[in-house]
Amino acid sequence: TAFSELTGQVRSRGLELQGKASLAHDVNLTASYTYNQTEVTRSTDPAEIGKELPVTPRHTASLWADAILRTTPLAGLGLGAGVRFVGANKTDKINASTNPSATLVDLAIYYDLARLDASMKGWRGAVNVQNLLDKEMEVCNSGFCYRGQRRTVVASLRYRW
């Protein structure tokens, strides 16, 4: 359908975990995991009862590492890399088919501009890349399929005071 419709009642139970660690003075690690179990418990369409919500993965996870160089000739340069996992999920309200799982790689590089000149304190330039490996994906929902986000590169300049 090309419109939204009320489902009825849904139960969602799950668990979200996140951990952060400093592995060395300037190296940080962030990991997360989500388990989400959904079930339609009441509906005007009996075929939906007991089914999972569409486009709602049961498992998602991510791991991100970030390091900034402070004592080398490249002092002020920061690098980050991570991986994201989105589990398989149903494409429609009666769970007739499934979208496959996907694993994506992201990358970041940034520089503290105060390392070039003290008057630039608070300024930082960055380039972030999502879906670094340009993995092609398709996500289907209720008979319509959409292309997933392809490789995206964003450059930014920020000021923090």
Side-chain angles (χ1 to χ4, degrees):
T1 60
F3 54 88
S4 298
E5 64 183 292
L6 194 58
T7 296
Q9 183 174 320
V10 176
R11 178 175 49 230
S12 176
R13 294 182 176 168
L15 172 72
E16 254 186 291
L17 300 171
Q18 181 179 34
K20 291 184 173 231
S22 292
L23 302 179
H25 181 65
D26 294 319
V27 179
N28 298 303
L29 186 69
T30 302
S32 67
Y33 170 76
T34 300
Y35 173 79
N36 187 20
Q37 183 178 7
T38 62
E39 179 185 1
V40 176
T41 57
R42 255 196 309 201
S43 176
T44 55
D45 181 356
E48 288 183 61
I49 296 176
K51 305 293 189 213
E52 295 178 32
L53 283 178
V55 197
T56 306
R58 188 170 283 204
H59 303 278
T60 59
S62 68
L63 180 64
W64 181 262
D66 188 86
I68 188 162
L69 306 175
R70 297 205 190 272
T71 58
T72 69
L74 298 173
L77 181 68
L79 302 169
V83 63
R84 295 178 284 139
F85 171 78
V86 178
N89 53 81
K90 303 302 180 185
T91 64
D92 59 20
K93 61 185 181 180
I94 60 168
N95 296 174
S97 59
T98 303
N99 287 312
S101 63
T103 302
L104 303 170
V105 176
D106 300 327
L107 184 68
I109 185 167
Y110 54 91
Y111 188 73
D112 178 3
L113 296 174
R115 295 293 185 153
L116 295 175
D117 187 307
S119 68
M120 302 281 290
K121 184 179 180 186
W123 288 96
R124 179 168 118 169
V127 175
N128 295 294
V129 183
Q130 290 183 306
N131 193 3
L132 177 69
L133 304 176
D134 201 23
K135 181 172 184 166
E136 292 187 35
M137 303 173 300
E138 187 175 77
V139 178
C140 297
N141 183 10
S142 301
F144 295 93
C145 293
Y146 307 92
R147 291 181 63 134
Q149 182 180 0
R150 300 289 302 268
R151 180 184 307 126
T152 304
V153 180
V154 176
S156 63
L157 181 63
R158 80 167 194 207
Y159 179 73
R160 211 177 247 191
W161 61 90

